[in-house]
Amino acid sequence: MAPRNRELTVRALARVEGEGRVDVTVREGRAERVELNIYEPPRFFESFLRGRHFLEPPDITSRICGICPVAYQVSACNAIEQACELELDDAVRDLRRLLYCGEWIASHVLHIYFLHAPDFLGLPDSIALARRDREAVERGLSLKKAGNAILDVIGGRPIHPVNVRIGGFHRMPTTAELIPLSDELCTALDHAVATVRWVSSFDFPDVELDHDLLALHDDSSYAIDDGEIWSSTGLRCTADEFPKHVVERQVPHSTALHAELDGRRYLTGPLARYSLKSSQLAGVSAQTAADAGLGAQCRNPYRSIVVRAVEVVYAVEEALRIIDRYERPAEPFTAGPPIRTVGHGVSEAPRGLLYHRYEFDPTRSIRAAIIIPPTSQNQAAIEHDLRRAVDGNLMPADDDLTTLCERTIRNYDPCISCATHFLTLTVDRR
């Protein structure tokens, strides 16, 4: 029988981006303390941006994350273009969405095959998975290569793309340059469908989340690069109104801030996107979701791997649609200085909604910046689910219980480095 009082610690989380630990205290058979302790040092990007020219944030903020740099570039562009009151050419918007599809493919596939799938197969890592199922790993590598190819052709390189700028791109690709992408994506679509079949065959614990869900919405398509902000409890607002509803707070045990939506914990990311707008899926992605048994909503965090796989199918389909209708515009970007003093921008990073706010001074420099990444928004929900996992599984030995805690966290694919911000600092000099 497991002891009623226990102290459990995971000192370094494996198969997640960044550095974090888990601390659990069990007293009298109940989880008294459950903390996701993000100890990675603050990275000060919001401070770095102060005083910079208004054209610089896309290049600077892309360095926040090597896995989802496009998300930071697009949210920055959306915020600053709002302040500049720029109207972008439809082809420019399409190309930006295509670039984002490349990131969704590359990021989701990295998580599915190399970080998350080993949990369901009783394996320690993707190296062991490659020994057992070489074909699966090769399929994942091929898919990631397809996503990287999009980033390379449109962004200039697959990590921290250099072709994105306010108002569009420094250079627009020719139609001929996109044809090889289309050929590669046709193969990728088969691999993406096979991925959904593969992950949907895993055994999933029966768990249901009760968090509020938050995602972007676009009437015309499955929102990726922009949109209105919708919640499962009926919130409908614009990016400008996001700070009225989402409030960050500092917690003692983490260098990443926690966030609340109108005073409640909430979740953003694949489960939120799918549950709020699965009806907007069409074609192969809708069929694979149905074949996987997802239904209209999915609130099981363990099945998030299936939702991510369906979103890979959607991103590949969407990329093919955009390439098929692409016509190179006369100009690669629309130029103009900030007209408003503040701009707000949002987009759907692979891990969830990413918000940027920029305030400008009369010299067109940035006076203040706020960036709220999805991982910090999800942290309160992750800790809640950790507590529930511990309370419901107190009988296993310590090693098994700590493994369960790690699995619970990996459901959310946290990007810990993205979540670390500048903290409130009080200096008492005596």
Side-chain angles (χ1 to χ4, degrees):
M1 183 175 179
R4 293 179 62 78
N5 297 321
R6 307 162 79 175
E7 296 278 350
L8 305 174
T9 299
V10 180
R11 298 191 180 279
L13 293 168
R15 286 188 274 129
V16 297
E17 190 286 328
E19 299 173 345
R21 60 183 276 164
V22 176
D23 295 302
V24 175
T25 300
V26 177
R27 290 283 181 266
E28 298 301 319
R30 290 184 61 83
E32 180 182 82
R33 178 178 67 111
V34 178
E35 294 177 349
L36 173 56
N37 183 332
I38 291 179
Y39 55 81
E40 193 164 314
R43 301 174 68 218
F44 308 114
F45 271 91
E46 290 157 320
S47 297
F48 295 158
L49 288 163
R50 295 174 194 160
R52 310 298 299 203
H53 190 266
F54 78 95
L55 292 176
E56 294 186 76
D59 288 324
I60 294 174
T61 60
S62 79
R63 270 64 178 181
I64 292 175
C65 186
I67 299 173
C68 49
V70 172
Y72 284 90
Q73 291 182 318
V74 171
S75 285
C77 285
N78 287 344
I80 296 169
E81 287 160 5
Q82 184 200 67
C84 297
E85 298 185 358
L86 296 181
E87 289 295 328
L88 272 58
D89 185 280
D90 287 344
V92 171
R93 290 198 177 279
D94 273 355
L95 201 69
R96 185 175 287 176
R97 186 174 176 87
L98 175 59
L99 183 68
Y100 221 136
C101 285
E103 179 159 284
W104 267 33
I105 295 165
S107 176
H108 276 342
V109 168
L110 171 66
H111 176 74
I112 290 166
Y113 279 92
F114 303 102
L115 305 181
H116 206 188
D119 282 339
F120 298 96
L121 301 171
L123 299 172
D125 50 43
S126 58
I127 303 300
L129 175 58
R131 293 193 187 101
R132 177 191 287 189
D133 192 344
R134 181 186 180 94
E135 182 182 352
V137 172
E138 288 181 344
R139 183 172 61 236
L141 289 171
S142 178
L143 268 170
K144 192 171 190 316
K145 181 173 176 287
N148 284 349
I150 296 173
L151 296 169
D152 194 28
V153 170
I154 300 170
R157 61 189 188 192
I159 300 175
H160 309 315
V162 293
N163 193 32
V164 177
R165 60 152 290 155
I166 302 301
F169 295 87
H170 293 288
R171 176 188 177 275
M172 298 292 282
T174 65
T175 303
E177 287 173 317
L178 297 187
I179 291 174
L181 288 181
S182 186
D183 295 339
E184 189 167 358
L185 287 167
C186 287
T187 301
L189 185 58
D190 292 335
H191 288 327
V193 172
T195 300
V196 176
R197 287 198 298 265
W198 182 56
V199 298
S200 63
S201 71
F202 296 165
D203 291 328
F204 301 103
D206 188 13
V207 179
E208 192 85 0
L209 299 177
D210 62 354
H211 315 308
D212 198 354
L213 304 176
L214 190 73
L216 296 185
H217 174 83
D218 186 320
D219 287 340
S220 62
S221 62
Y222 199 81
I224 297 177
D225 52 311
D226 205 353
E228 273 195 318
I229 299 163
W230 284 27
S231 82
S232 56
T233 52
L235 173 68
R236 305 287 186 267
C237 72
T238 63
D240 306 53
E241 298 167 311
F242 183 84
K244 298 177 184 177
H245 300 279
V246 173
V247 176
E248 291 186 298
R249 60 184 175 86
Q250 188 175 322
V251 294
H253 59 271
S254 178
T255 56
L257 303 177
H258 283 209
E260 292 181 337
L261 174 64
D262 294 328
R264 305 182 303 275
R265 70 173 181 276
Y266 68 102
L267 183 70
T268 187
L271 291 185
R273 286 192 294 259
Y274 181 85
S275 296
L276 288 171
K277 54 192 183 185
S278 63
S279 61
Q280 291 184 303
L281 296 176
V284 182
S285 58
Q287 187 59 54
T288 55
D291 292 344
L294 284 177
Q297 292 191 26
C298 179
R299 284 179 170 265
N300 184 333
Y302 292 94
R303 289 175 67 84
S304 64
I305 193 171
V306 183
V307 176
R308 284 185 172 89
V310 169
E311 288 195 331
V312 172
V313 175
Y314 177 81
V316 174
E317 281 189 289
E318 183 72 351
L320 285 167
R321 283 191 289 266
I322 293 170
I323 291 171
D324 184 60
R325 66 175 181 248
Y326 176 72
E327 293 183 9
R328 195 183 195 198
E331 298 295 335
F333 63 88
T334 303
I339 296 171
R340 307 182 194 179
T341 56
V342 176
H344 307 258
V346 288
S347 69
E348 281 285 354
R351 292 156 189 82
L353 192 153
L354 172 62
Y355 168 80
H356 285 223
R357 176 190 183 275
Y358 297 98
E359 183 179 345
F360 305 96
D361 66 22
T363 70
R364 302 174 182 175
S365 296
I366 296 167
R367 177 181 286 132
I370 295 175
I371 299 171
I372 304 181
T375 292
S376 62
Q377 297 179 67
N378 287 340
Q379 278 194 90
I382 294 172
E383 286 193 352
H384 179 271
D385 295 342
L386 275 171
R387 180 181 296 275
R388 187 167 66 170
V390 171
D391 276 336
N393 297 274
L394 289 171
M395 296 308 293
D398 287 1
D399 286 348
D400 293 333
L401 188 51
T402 54
T403 297
L404 174 63
C405 289
E406 289 194 82
R407 282 194 67 183
T408 300
I409 292 169
R410 279 193 289 267
N411 287 331
Y412 300 93
D413 189 21
C415 198
I416 289 173
S417 296
C418 292
T420 56
H421 284 247
F422 186 76
L423 305 179
T424 301
L425 179 65
T426 301
V427 178
D428 185 5
R429 292 188 174 93
R430 296 175 186 267

